[in-house]
Amino acid sequence: MFAPLTRSVQQLIDATIRTEVDEDTVVEARALIERATELLAAQQISGSFGVQPTTDGGTVAWGNVAIGLRNPVAPPLVLHDDADGSVYTDIDLGAAYEGPPGHVHGGVCALILDHMLGATAHQPGNPAFTGTLTVRYVRPTRLGRIHTEARVERHEGIKTFAVGHIADADGVVTVEAHGVFIRPGAR
Amino acid sequence: MFAPLTRSVQQLIDATIRTEVDEDTVVEARALIERATELLAAQQISGSFGVQPTTDGGTVAWGNVAIGLRNPVAPPLVLHDDADGSVYTDIDLGAAYEGPPGHVHGGVCALILDHMLGATAHQPGNPAFTGTLTVRYVRPTRLGRIHTEARVERHEGIKTFAVGHIADADGVVTVEAHGVFIRPGAR
């Protein structure tokens, strides 16, 4: 029930950025939006979403700005795990993620790579915290379909070193990243 | 006319993440949202917002994911220039920017710092492109009010070196960054 709501809000975000309608129509749309907010906010959790338990004993981070199914700001990244421990995903980035005209904001690339590298460094029961993230911009990333992947390069004591990149629809690498993660539980 | 619309959509995003209403109410809210999108999308620019001319001869990047006044994903960063060329801003980051429960996503910190450092490295008529951005996570950043600032450290030929940080409401630095920017027009 929440995924279609999130998708509807994402379409509204896109329309909000791109609309060229007159002021009366904007005012009319805004009244509808405010009524929808009123309906949804009538009963709500007191703070941010956080991590909540599911009925089957798992947990969900549906508010997460990178992967949250209930967060319209999230593309969202739907992570796929490869057998070798690496993660990858293909996503479409529209007008909402723009920096230079027609291109993905460099900061959005950094956000995505931060999450991807963290996801690969993280192990169940042995959480990893980002120490340092270095992002190298090789060439501009056009808005549209992108591919991103990350993997652990090596472990050294409590440190895990991860690498990853973003590639465009033609498979050309546009942004590279490496990160150092700290796993307090490692030895 | 657009700033209030953007603000309304931001409030809807927050409500979408935090709502606990029943399915019937979600369906009702979604119908209102889809009607609003329909109204706004009836007439729209064909691609992303880009950079558009204003009637007074300037330009605006209202779709920009960091600073765009028409982009509900943007906090937005309202940049203030100091006399020494540094930039700073104070913003509130709510549930939409969450990573670890109750805290700002590390990738959002990277996005903000990428934009702040780029803004200070950029000079009118002499654009700077990000080469490398390095982000160091000193401690977690709580959701809520943050302060961020950046400044140019030095120039070396076509390279500009910039530094910046994010501090929490108590003024404690949580994330540091340095970046290397390329200014093709410099010598």
Side-chain angles (χ1 to χ4, degrees), chain B:
Chain B
M1 106 193 208
F2 288 113
L5 173 64
T6 305
R7 181 74 195 121
S8 290
V9 178
Q10 289 183 318
Q11 288 164 343
L12 175 65
I13 291 169
D14 188 78
T16 297
I17 296 168
R18 299 169 58 204
T19 190
E20 292 186 303
V21 298
D22 60 23
E23 183 156 6
D24 285 352
T25 312
V26 168
V27 169
E28 191 184 344
R30 191 148 66 83
L32 293 166
I33 294 162
E34 289 175 0
R35 175 72 190 127
T37 301
E38 208 172 83
L39 285 172
L40 295 172
Q43 196 182 328
Q44 61 183 6
I45 55 173
S46 62
S48 54
F49 190 90
V51 172
Q52 297 193 16
T54 54
T55 47
D56 64 0
T59 56
V60 288
W62 284 347
N64 187 289
V65 66
I67 58 166
L69 298 186
R70 283 185 54 176
N71 190 338
V73 172
L77 303 178
V78 179
L79 304 186
H80 304 286
D81 294 302
D82 259 347
D84 64 356
S86 65
V87 293
Y88 69 93
T89 188
D90 295 87
I91 46 168
D92 285 299
L93 297 175
Y97 302 101
E98 187 173 46
H103 291 84
V104 182
H105 194 293
V108 170
C109 297
L111 192 174
I112 290 169
L113 287 164
D114 174 85
H115 196 92
M116 294 297 291
L117 268 64
T120 190
H122 180 89
Q123 294 176 344
N126 193 353
F129 302 97
T130 316
T132 309
L133 177 75
T134 301
V135 185
R136 194 167 81 86
Y137 297 90
V138 184
R139 52 179 64 81
T141 306
R142 284 190 308 276
L143 288 174
R145 172 58 57 118
I146 65 153
H147 170 85
T148 179
E149 58 181 74
R151 62 181 172 80
V152 168
E153 204 177 45
R154 67 183 195 282
H155 300 286
E156 273 179 28
I158 63 164
K159 289 186 179 175
T160 294
F161 296 81
V163 295
H165 67 257
I166 288 174
D168 64 19
D170 302 326
V172 178
V173 172
T174 60
V175 188
E176 297 171 342
H178 62 267
V180 183
F181 295 82
I182 312 297
R183 293 184 301 134
R187 52 195 99 205

Side-chain angles (χ1 to χ4, degrees), chain A residues 12 24-40, chain B residues 5 8-9 12 28-40:
Chain A
L12 175 64
D24 285 352
T25 312
V26 169
V27 169
E28 190 184 343
R30 190 149 65 83
L32 293 166
I33 295 162
E34 288 175 0
R35 175 72 189 126
T37 302
E38 208 172 84
L39 284 171
L40 295 172
Chain B
L5 173 64
S8 290
V9 178
L12 175 65
E28 191 184 344
R30 191 148 66 83
L32 293 166
I33 294 162
E34 289 175 0
R35 175 72 190 127
T37 301
E38 208 172 83
L39 285 172
L40 295 172

Side-chain angles (χ1 to χ4, degrees), chain A:
Chain A
M1 104 194 211
F2 288 113
L5 173 64
T6 306
R7 183 74 195 119
S8 290
V9 178
Q10 288 182 321
Q11 289 165 343
L12 175 64
I13 291 169
D14 187 79
T16 298
I17 296 167
R18 299 169 58 203
T19 191
E20 291 186 303
V21 298
D22 62 23
E23 182 154 7
D24 285 352
T25 312
V26 169
V27 169
E28 190 184 343
R30 190 149 65 83
L32 293 166
I33 295 162
E34 288 175 0
R35 175 72 189 126
T37 302
E38 208 172 84
L39 284 171
L40 295 172
Q43 196 182 328
Q44 61 182 7
I45 56 174
S46 61
S48 55
F49 190 90
V51 173
Q52 297 194 15
T54 54
T55 48
D56 65 0
T59 56
V60 287
W62 283 346
N64 188 288
V65 65
I67 58 165
L69 298 186
R70 283 184 56 176
N71 189 339
V73 172
L77 303 178
V78 179
L79 304 187
H80 304 286
D81 295 302
D82 259 347
D84 64 355
S86 66
V87 294
Y88 70 93
T89 189
D90 294 87
I91 47 168
D92 286 298
L93 297 176
Y97 303 101
E98 188 173 47
H103 291 84
V104 182
H105 194 292
V108 170
C109 296
L111 191 174
I112 290 170
L113 287 165
D114 175 84
H115 196 92
M116 295 297 291
L117 269 62
T120 191
H122 180 90
Q123 294 175 344
N126 194 353
F129 303 97
T130 316
T132 309
L133 177 75
T134 302
V135 184
R136 194 166 81 87
Y137 297 90
V138 184
R139 52 180 62 81
T141 306
R142 285 190 307 276
L143 288 174
R145 171 59 56 118
I146 66 153
H147 170 84
T148 178
E149 58 181 71
R151 64 182 170 79
V152 168
E153 204 177 47
R154 66 186 196 278
H155 301 286
E156 273 178 28
I158 63 165
K159 289 186 180 176
T160 293
F161 296 81
V163 295
H165 68 257
I166 288 174
D168 64 20
D170 301 326
V172 178
V173 172
T174 58
V175 188
E176 297 171 342
H178 61 266
V180 183
F181 296 82
I182 312 297
R183 293 184 301 135
R187 51 193 102 203

